[in-house]
Amino acid sequence: MQTTELDPSLTQALAAARKPGLTLIIGNKNYSSWSMRPWLAMTAFGIPFQEVRVLLDREETAAAIAAYSACGRVPVLVAGEMTIWDSLSICEYLAEQFQEKHLWPQDVAARATARSICAEMHSGFGGLRTAMSMNLRASLPGRGRSAAAQADIGRISEIWEECLSRFGHHQFLFGDFSIADAYFAPVVMRFHTYGVTLAPALNAYCERVRAHPAVARWVEEALAETETAPRHDAALPD
């Protein structure tokens, strides 16, 4: 996978992204939980792509993202002349284009459940997002324990417990690593940053996710970043 740092030459970068193949535009790995999800899916399943990283909270950030998509947010997947934005849409596109890789579980009931919990993750858990912003370089045990965040932690625990016991055989949520695990990986990282206490089986699941090669690679590259995103840092709880 080739990584490109997007600087003033937006036109040149955009032209490169429009070449055959897949280009994933992401934010800083330290902060961008939404970018992490499709990046993990593509990396875990061996889908080749070029990476373009747009640094967040800079004067040029909005223009850099707009060069790829009018939505104004990362991630964005460029596939030839097509542009796919939004993490869940990107993951669905990948699952459709690479059916032989089985990004979703193959069992019908498991697949339906996996899609349901990803949709719930996608549209919900605002309390957790607000109180426990993703920052892999930080260590904030005990912080971010708002009532809304605690309720979200409880619901996520329920989801994980049900999936692991019903489908996961106490490995990943549906046995093999899937989009569902990629979707909840940023939550695993938040729980690590904020020192969230979980039941032993759920702690073990978090450890398996963090040890997955794709996740470990994302974290390693996030920790190696030197850039900061002031507005994202400001969102961290006191």
Side-chain angles (χ1 to χ4, degrees):
M1 180 185 66
Q2 178 183 353
T3 301
T4 303
E5 291 294 333
L6 190 60
D7 241 353
S9 56
L10 298 179
T11 303
Q12 182 179 357
L14 180 59
R18 294 297 180 189
K19 291 180 179 178
L22 299 174
T23 300
L24 185 67
I25 294 85
I26 63 172
N28 307 52
K29 289 189 169 84
N30 187 57
Y31 306 102
S32 186
S33 59
W34 291 112
S35 297
M36 186 181 187
R37 293 177 167 105
W39 189 99
L40 287 181
M42 298 178 82
T43 303
F45 286 94
I47 298 171
F49 67 102
Q50 176 182 347
E51 172 190 312
V52 174
R53 193 168 62 107
V54 174
L55 299 181
L56 303 175
D57 297 356
R58 305 234 170 161
E59 290 184 3
E60 66 272 17
T61 299
I65 296 173
Y68 298 100
S69 171
C71 74
R73 297 179 180 179
V74 289
V76 177
L77 182 68
V78 178
E81 295 301 314
M82 288 193 303
T83 299
I84 303 102
W85 62 97
D86 185 278
S87 297
L88 194 53
S89 295
I90 293 171
C91 287
E92 288 285 13
Y93 173 81
L94 295 170
E96 181 181 74
Q97 294 299 308
F98 298 91
Q99 295 182 32
E100 73 285 356
K101 293 183 179 291
H102 305 301
L103 277 72
W104 288 116
Q106 295 184 65
D107 175 76
V108 173
R111 187 165 62 252
T113 303
R115 282 193 162 109
S116 294
I117 66 171
C118 287
E120 184 174 354
M121 179 75 254
H122 195 72
S123 61
F125 304 113
L128 182 73
R129 300 183 206 282
T130 300
M132 298 182 177
S133 178
M134 190 168 99
N135 187 323
L136 302 187
R137 295 197 297 262
S139 178
L140 303 165
R143 298 193 192 181
R145 299 303 198 275
S146 68
Q150 286 292 139
D152 286 347
I153 292 168
R155 173 57 187 151
I156 290 167
S157 296
E158 290 176 356
I159 290 171
W160 289 358
E161 287 169 352
E162 178 182 0
C163 291
L164 288 169
S165 62
R166 184 180 173 193
F167 302 107
H169 311 297
H170 304 287
Q171 293 301 312
F172 293 105
L173 293 176
F174 296 90
D176 296 326
F177 191 89
S178 72
I179 289 172
D181 300 290
Y183 235 71
F184 279 89
V187 176
V188 169
M189 301 315 303
R190 282 177 163 97
F191 287 177
H192 180 68
T193 295
Y194 293 90
V196 174
T197 301
L198 300 169
L202 302 188
N203 274 328
Y205 167 69
C206 289
E207 290 175 4
R208 288 192 292 274
V209 170
R210 289 171 53 209
H212 189 281
V215 178
R217 179 175 169 185
W218 174 280
V219 172
E220 180 182 7
E221 294 177 7
L223 296 179
E225 290 178 340
T226 58
E227 306 88 0
T228 60
R231 287 196 297 274
H232 286 70
D233 285 326
L236 295 174
D238 294 330

